[in-house]
């Protein structure tokens, strides 16, 4: 496997943060539009951040698991390709040695 073709796992670290911030922003906009009191506003925001923080972490775990499977498949394909290349080079060397033997006789 060449360095150019080397598997690079995508960075999933910001996924929970992005999900949480998006949900918190939407919650803030809805709370402002409904003209909630400050206590209700903060309570809704806190609950939203907690719930979507947990959901974001779960999404990240599932993404990481999926990328591990992808990495294993890439490694398997690469090893199969290397085996095929090695097999072809052995076949070529066997054919050359047979041709040399026939010419020597």
């Amino acid at each position: 496997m060449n360095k150019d073709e080397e598997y690079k796992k995508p960075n999933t670290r910001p996924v929970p943060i992005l999900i949480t911030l998006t949900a918190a922003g939407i919650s803030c906009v809805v709370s402002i539009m409904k003209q909630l009191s400050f206590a209700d506003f903060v309570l809704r925001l806190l609950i939203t951040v907690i719930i979507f923080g947990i959901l974001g972490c779960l999404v990240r775990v599932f993404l990481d698991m999926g990328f591990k499977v992808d990495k294993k498949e890439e490694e398997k394909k690469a090893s199969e390709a290397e085996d095929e290349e090695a097999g072809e080079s052995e076949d070529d060397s066997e054919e050359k040695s047979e041709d040399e033997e026939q010419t020597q006789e």
Side-chain angles (χ1 to χ4, degrees):
M1 187 186 283
N2 294 339
K3 288 186 178 183
D4 296 336
E5 298 174 3
E6 188 174 314
Y7 182 81
K8 295 181 181 175
K9 178 183 165 270
N11 184 13
T12 58
R13 188 173 184 195
V15 170
I17 297 167
L18 292 174
I19 291 173
T20 303
L21 287 175
T22 303
I26 293 170
S27 174
C28 288
V29 169
V30 170
S31 295
I32 291 170
M33 290 177 64
K34 288 190 172 190
Q35 298 178 347
L36 291 177
S37 67
F38 185 71
D40 291 337
F41 179 88
V42 172
L43 182 63
R44 274 191 181 186
L45 182 61
L46 181 65
I47 291 170
T48 302
V49 167
I50 291 170
I51 290 172
F52 281 92
I54 293 169
L55 288 175
C57 290
L58 291 175
V59 168
R60 180 180 178 197
V61 167
F62 287 126
L63 285 174
D64 287 341
M65 287 172 41
F67 290 130
K68 282 182 184 177
V69 170
D70 287 345
K71 183 176 181 180
K72 288 178 184 177
E73 289 176 2
E74 288 289 327
E75 290 173 353
K76 184 177 179 182
K77 288 179 184 177
S79 66
E80 288 175 356
E82 289 174 1
D83 292 343
E84 289 178 6
E85 290 175 5
E88 290 175 3
S89 64
E90 288 176 5
D91 292 341
D92 292 341
S93 63
E94 288 176 8
E95 290 176 7
K96 288 180 184 178
S97 63
E98 289 175 5
D99 291 339
E100 291 174 1
E101 287 177 9
Q102 290 176 356
T103 55
Q104 289 177 357
E105 293 176 357

